[in-house]
Amino acid sequence: MKPVAKSSSASNPLDADMHLRLEGIITPMAAMPGALLPILHAVQDAFGHVPPACVPLIANALNLSRAEVHGVISFYHDFRSTPPGRHVLKLCRAEACQARGARELEAQLVSRLGIGFHETTADGSITLEPVYCLGNCACAPTAMLDGTVHGRLSTERMASLLDSCGVKK
Amino acid sequence: MSVRVYVPRDTSALACGADEVAAAINAEASRRGITIELVRNGSRGLCWLEPLVEVETTEGRIGFGPVSVDTVGELFDAGFPNANSHALSLGLVEDLAWLKKQQRVCFSRNGIIDPISLEDFEAHGGWQGARRALAMRPQDIVSAVTESGLRGRGGAAFPCGIKWQTVHDQLVAQKFIVCNADEGDSGTFSDRMILEGDPYRLIEGMLIAGLACGANQGFVYLRSEYPLARQIFVQALERAREAGWLGTNVADSGRAFDIDLRIGAGAYICGEETSLLESLEGKRGQVRFKPPLPAIKGLFGQPTVINNLITLASVPDILVNGAEWYRDLGYGRSRGTLPIQLTGNIRCGGLVELGFGVSLRELLYDYGGGSASGRPIRAVQVGGPLGAYLPESQFDTLIDYEAFAAIDAMLGHGGIVVFDDTVDMTEQARFAMEFCAIESCGKCTPCRIGSRRGVEVIERLRQGVDAAANRALLESLCDTMQHGSLCALGGLTPLPVKSALAHFSEDFQPRPPA
Ligand SMILES: Cc1cc2nc3c(=O)[nH]c(=O)nc-3n(C[C@H](O)[C@H](O)[C@H](O)COP(=O)(O)O)c2cc1C
Ligand code: SF4
Ligand code: FES
C-alpha cells in the first residue's frame, strides 16, 4: 500500500485566485460519471500537486464526504499532497529493468542525491519517485524525467540527466 | 520526387532518441538539398534496432538501425536516403528473418502505417471487421468469437465468447464495454504498441464488441505511465468521431457507440478487473468480491464486458477471416496468436507475435539471440511480477496456457523477462514480496501483511539467519497467501517466490560473509 505522506500538515487555506481556478476545473467535470479521478488528475496537472485545501471543494461538488476524497487521493501512488521539486525523476524499479542494471542506477541516485524514493532534495531541484514499468522493457533500464522516457540508461547517461537538472556533482 | 522516410514515434523508439534522429535527418536533408517526406510511424517491435529508420523504395522499405544522431551525417555521406551499404543498413525490413518468421495478426499494421492516418488504416484492411459486424446479427458476432477459441489476453485466459454471450444475454438497456489498458506487468508493452502504432484497431475491436453485446458506451482505462499512448489515442478518438466511426450514428447504421478514455493513477491493482471498475467509478481501487460477475453487474452496476486490449484488438481479423481461420492458428486449447514481448537481458528484444505452440527456447535463442550481456541465461520470468521464474531445464516448455499451468507457471500477458547468471534469486524473491506489499489494495490480511512478513523472512534468509526455520516459515507464508487471498495479487505472489526457492535453491543457502 501507498506509504503515508510525511508532512501532510494543516494546509494553507485557498486564496481567492486559486479558488477560482479550482472551480474552473471542477465545475465542468463534476457531472461526468466517475468524475473524481479525472478531476484529481486535472488539479494535479494544474498545480503540480493536489493541495489538501481543495478537498472540501471537490467533495462538495461531487456530493462526497471529505474522507472519501481523501481516501481516494491516498490510495493512488500518482497523487501527491505536497509540491514536488523542480524536476521529477521516476526510476523504473521493475524486473526487466532490474535485469539490465536498475539496482545500480538506484544506488547511484540515492548516493548522489542523498535522498530516497518519495523525497525531494533539500535545494528543491529534484524529486525521486519509483515507478513499476514504463513499457520500455526491451530497451531497459528506464527512467522518466519530467514526463520524458529515457531508455538504455547507463550510469554515465543518468549522471548527465542529473547534471541537466542542476543537481550538484 | 521526394523520398519517404519513416522514423517511429513510439515510446521505446523515443526513449532511444527517435525525435532527435528525426530532427537530424530533416536538418541534414535540407542542408544537402534533398527533399524527403518524413513520416512518423509506430514501431515494428524490433526494439533492439530502435530507432529503426526506414526508406521507401520500389522494392520495399529499407531499414537502418539503430540510428543515433551521431550517425545521421555518415548515413547521408553513404548515399542515404538512397540505397547504400552503410554498416547500419539492414536491407529490406520485411525480409529480416526475425520479422518474416512471425505470424502477425494483431500487429499486422504496426510500424507500417502512420498510426493516426485513417487513409492508411483503411488501405491496410481497417474497418473491414466493423463493416462485417454492422451487417451481422449480434448473436452471430458473439458466436464467431466463441468459435474462434479466443481467450482473454490479460492473464486469466478466460474464453472471450462466453463473457460476451453473458453480456449479450442481459436484457438491460445500458451495458458497457471496458478495455483494460492498465498493462502493469513488467516485461509487457503490447497494449502500448497498439495504442501508439495502430490505435484504430482498438476502436474497431471495441465497436464490434459493442455491436455484439448491445452496448453503446465504451471506456478505455489506460495507465498514467503511458503519456504518449494517451496523446496518440486521444487524437485517434477525435478523428474516428469526425469520420463517423464513433458517435450516435456509426457509419450511417443508425447504431450508436462511443468511447471515453480514462487515465489510471499508478496503482498496479487497478489492472484487476473489479478494482479497475471501482477506479472508473471514481473510488479507491479495491477489489470487489465475485459474484456478481462484471458481465452481470459491472460498471455502475450495469452488465459490462471487460477485456484486455489485445483481446479486443484480435477480434476484427476474426470477423474478416472467419473463426475457423483463427482457430487453426495455435496449439492445444490455446488458439490464435499471442504477441510475446522479449525483454530484460536479451540481445534482440521486442515484440514477437506467433501462434501458440512455439517453445520458450526458440524465443530466447532463435528470436532473442541469447542474453544481451553475452553471459548464459540463468532465469526467465514469464507472465509479469506474479509469474514464475523458470530455469534452463524448463526452456522447452511450449507457449500454451495449459503447458505453463502444468509447471506451476503462467503466461499472463505474454511478457518474458530474461536474466543472466549474475542474477541473485533471493533479491528477485524479495522483490516479488516487496512489490505485493507496495501494490496490495489492503482488503485482505494474507496479502497486505503477509507480503511485508515475506520481505522480512527473505531478508533473514539472505543473511543466513536460522536458514532452515526461515525457509519453512517462508513456505508456509506462501501457502497462506496462496489460499487466503481474495485476488491473484496476493494469491500468485507466491509463484515467483516458490519457483525461485524450488529451482534456484543454491542462492538461498547461507553464504560466507562477503
Ligand atoms: C493483480 C492483477 C493485475 C491485473 N492486471 C491486468 C492488466 O494490467 N491488464 C489486463 O488486461 N488484465 C489484468 N488483469 C486481469 C484482469 O483481472 C482480467 O482478467 C482481464 O482484464 C480480463 O480481460 P481478458 O479476458 O480479455 O483477459 C490483472 C489481474 C490481477 C489479479
Ligand atoms: S489479495 Fe491483495 S490486492 Fe487482492 S484483494 Fe486481497 S489485499 Fe487486495
Ligand atoms: S520493467 Fe522497466 S520499463 Fe518495463
Side-chain angles (χ1 to χ4, degrees), chain B residues 152-158 163 180 182-185 191 268-269 271-273 306-309 311 386 487-489:
Chain B
R153 302 290 189 243
F158 187 78
K163 195 182 277 188
N180 188 341
D182 200 50
E183 196 160 68
D185 289 358
D191 296 352
Y268 176 76
I269 193 59
E272 192 283 332
E273 56 186 14
I306 174 161
N307 273 136
N308 172 251
L309 187 150
T311 314
L386 311 176
C487 86
L489 181 55

Side-chain angles (χ1 to χ4, degrees), chain B residues 367-388:
Chain B
Y367 287 87
S371 74
S373 59
R375 304 180 66 97
I377 295 178
R378 179 160 183 244
V380 300
Q381 187 180 32
V382 183
L386 311 176

Side-chain angles (χ1 to χ4, degrees), chain B residues 9 20-21 58 67 72 78 96 115 150 169 182 212 229 239 273 278 282 302 304 318 347 357-358 394 406:
Chain B
R9 182 160 169 261
E20 293 77 8
V21 166
T58 46
V67 177
V72 168
L96 293 173
L150 175 64
D169 293 347
D182 200 50
R239 293 193 182 198
E273 56 186 14
E278 289 287 298
Q302 301 304 116
T304 302
I318 292 174
R347 203 161 67 82
V358 59
Q394 294 183 325

Side-chain angles (χ1 to χ4, degrees), chain B residues 5-340:
Chain B
V5 176
Y6 295 83
V7 181
R9 182 160 169 261
D10 156 278
T11 295
S12 275
L14 296 189
C16 299
D19 270 348
E20 293 77 8
V21 166
I25 289 176
N26 262 333
E28 200 64 39
S30 70
R31 199 171 68 78
R32 298 178 190 232
I34 303 169
T35 40
I36 59 166
E37 183 198 345
L38 192 77
V39 179
R40 302 306 298 268
N41 54 342
S43 169
R44 299 249 196 185
L46 294 91
C47 298
W48 86 99
L49 292 175
E50 296 290 4
L52 171 63
V53 175
E54 293 176 57
V55 176
E56 195 160 82
T57 73
T58 46
E59 284 93 74
R61 279 155 62 165
I62 307 278
F64 299 87
V67 177
S68 65
V69 173
D70 308 335
T71 49
V72 168
E74 275 175 38
L75 273 176
F76 276 88
D77 288 343
F80 184 91
N82 296 316
N84 66 70
S85 53
H86 188 274
L88 293 181
S89 174
L90 304 159
L92 288 173
V93 175
E94 308 271 346
D95 284 351
L96 293 173
W98 200 87
L99 200 55
K100 207 170 181 166
K101 287 189 294 177
Q102 297 193 30
Q103 291 167 293
R104 289 209 161 182
V105 176
C106 282
F107 283 81
S108 62
R109 283 183 290 262
N110 267 74
I112 295 173
I113 60 166
D114 171 352
I116 51 168
S117 159
L118 280 162
E119 296 71 39
D120 271 13
F121 180 67
E122 272 212 80
H124 289 83
W127 303 129
Q128 284 184 25
R131 287 209 172 88
R132 300 251 167 141
L134 282 164
M136 286 165 83
R137 288 193 317 135
Q139 179 59 58
D140 293 339
I141 307 175
V142 174
S143 301
V145 170
T146 306
E147 283 158 23
S148 75
L150 175 64
R151 291 163 75 179
R153 302 290 189 243
F158 187 78
C160 182
I162 295 181
K163 195 182 277 188
W164 286 26
Q165 187 71 58
T166 310
V167 175
H168 168 274
D169 293 347
Q170 305 301 306
L171 303 172
V172 181
Q174 183 68 70
K175 306 179 196 176
F176 296 110
I177 307 296
V178 173
C179 167
N180 188 341
D182 200 50
E183 196 160 68
D185 289 358
S186 166
T188 68
F189 46 79
S190 56
D191 296 352
R192 172 183 70 65
M193 278 186 60
I194 293 285
L195 288 169
E196 293 176 356
D198 191 11
Y200 298 118
R201 173 182 288 278
L202 173 62
I203 296 176
E204 185 177 6
M206 290 181 73
L207 170 60
I208 294 169
L211 294 169
C213 302
N216 62 13
Q217 179 65 49
F219 287 89
V220 173
Y221 187 90
L222 173 64
R223 65 201 302 254
S224 62
E225 292 85 347
Y226 286 178
L228 180 68
R230 173 190 186 173
Q231 203 185 327
I232 293 174
F233 195 63
V234 163
Q235 261 182 310
L237 283 176
E238 281 167 9
R239 293 193 182 198
R241 228 170 260 136
E242 276 168 29
W245 282 103
L246 291 173
T248 49
N249 180 18
V250 172
D252 286 327
S253 64
R255 319 269 284 274
F257 190 74
D258 215 323
I259 297 174
D260 203 351
L261 174 65
R262 294 294 175 91
I263 307 299
Y268 176 76
I269 193 59
C270 287
E272 192 283 332
E273 56 186 14
T274 63
S275 163
L276 188 155
L277 295 176
E278 289 287 298
S279 186
L280 270 181
E281 292 181 9
K283 302 175 191 153
R284 293 162 70 88
Q286 274 193 321
V287 174
R288 294 178 184 169
F289 289 98
K290 285 190 275 196
L293 292 174
I296 293 168
K297 255 172 116 55
L299 185 61
F300 301 113
Q302 301 304 116
T304 302
V305 165
I306 174 161
N307 273 136
N308 172 251
L309 187 150
I310 297 295
T311 314
L312 292 162
S314 302
V315 170
D317 288 80
I318 292 174
L319 291 198
V320 174
N321 300 309
E324 208 172 314
W325 162 83
Y326 194 77
R327 211 181 42 220
D328 285 348
L329 298 165
Y331 175 90
R333 287 173 48 215
S334 308
R335 309 314 313 172
T337 60
L338 183 70
I340 296 152

